[in-house]
Amino acid sequence: MGVYLVVYYFILLLQAATSQEDQPAPRCNETCGGVTIPYPFGIKRGCYSYSFFRVDCKETRNGQKPFIHRINLELLNSSEPGLGYVTVNNPVTYFNCGSNSKGNNGTSTTATASSVNLKGTPFYFSGFFNSFGSVGCGSWATLFVNISNVAIAGCLQQRCGDPTSKSGGCWAEIPNIDLVSYTAAVR
């Protein structure tokens, strides 16, 4: 039996739990790495409405990318102004890839679980806009609410070497709840 790559990921939309009515200064048309930074987010002081909405423009191997400062998640894009949604890049966890595999930050990894925690912030993961997926074969991928043993979604990947399956993974619907934290695991 060979080594199989098992990757699970979570398509995320963050929703600000508070609404902001004041507007940024006119000088705040900001971008980072081709991504427009919408108000209430901002890079420069005076361009974000609250410290939780501060964005850092970081240099990565793939050029500059915007990260929400307090939660360190990459900001991909935003909704129409006033709707309160942004799309963020969630960490991808690799499992059973051996010591030569590289995670998102370029370090070797053989992790089997990953957690994201937004407690104490004005953000949550929208249950309505997200789905849970796992790429690989022969494993059960599970999403747990907060850091607990309460599973809210899961899927079984096809059997390794199964010629009848063309999907390369599995998908599961997430209940329409707003998550503050979650743990994803592969077994």
Side-chain angles (χ1 to χ4, degrees):
M1 183 163 118
V3 175
Y4 295 94
L5 170 67
V6 177
V7 180
Y8 60 86
Y9 50 94
F10 193 25
I11 301 167
L12 300 176
L13 263 69
L14 287 176
Q15 182 173 14
T18 61
S19 63
Q20 303 291 331
E21 293 189 18
D22 47 347
Q23 292 298 311
R27 62 176 167 45
C28 294
N29 293 331
E30 298 179 304
T31 61
C32 175
V35 176
T36 300
I37 310 301
Y39 188 80
F41 295 92
I43 298 170
K44 294 180 282 199
R45 179 166 285 177
C47 293
Y48 49 89
S49 66
Y50 183 63
S51 64
F52 281 106
F53 298 106
R54 178 179 154 199
V55 173
D56 296 324
C57 192
K58 295 182 180 180
E59 191 63 42
T60 70
R61 287 187 288 186
N62 298 316
Q64 289 188 326
K65 294 187 176 192
F67 286 81
I68 300 172
H69 180 78
R70 302 275 295 267
I71 59 175
N72 200 33
L73 291 176
E74 181 186 352
L75 180 63
L76 298 177
N77 62 38
S78 66
S79 65
E80 294 297 317
L83 292 181
Y85 295 96
V86 293
T87 306
V88 296
N89 191 10
N90 187 56
V92 174
T93 299
Y94 302 84
F95 167 68
N96 199 19
C97 298
S99 61
N100 293 328
S101 63
K102 302 292 181 190
N104 281 357
N105 61 3
T107 60
S108 294
T109 180
T110 55
T112 60
S114 175
S115 296
V116 176
N117 189 347
L118 300 176
K119 286 182 183 175
T121 75
F123 303 111
Y124 58 89
F125 299 103
S126 170
F128 182 76
F129 292 106
N130 290 297
S131 58
F132 177 69
S134 178
V135 177
C137 65
S139 294
W140 176 256
T142 311
L143 183 68
F144 298 94
V145 66
N146 302 320
I147 301 170
S148 71
N149 291 328
V150 178
I152 58 170
C155 62
L156 181 62
Q157 302 165 345
Q158 82 272 0
R159 192 176 71 239
C160 297
D162 185 353
T164 63
S165 177
K166 295 180 171 85
S167 69
C170 62
W171 289 93
E173 292 292 320
I174 297 173
N176 192 11
I177 60 173
D178 297 320
L179 294 171
V180 175
S181 66
Y182 71 87
T183 300
V186 176
R187 292 184 171 84

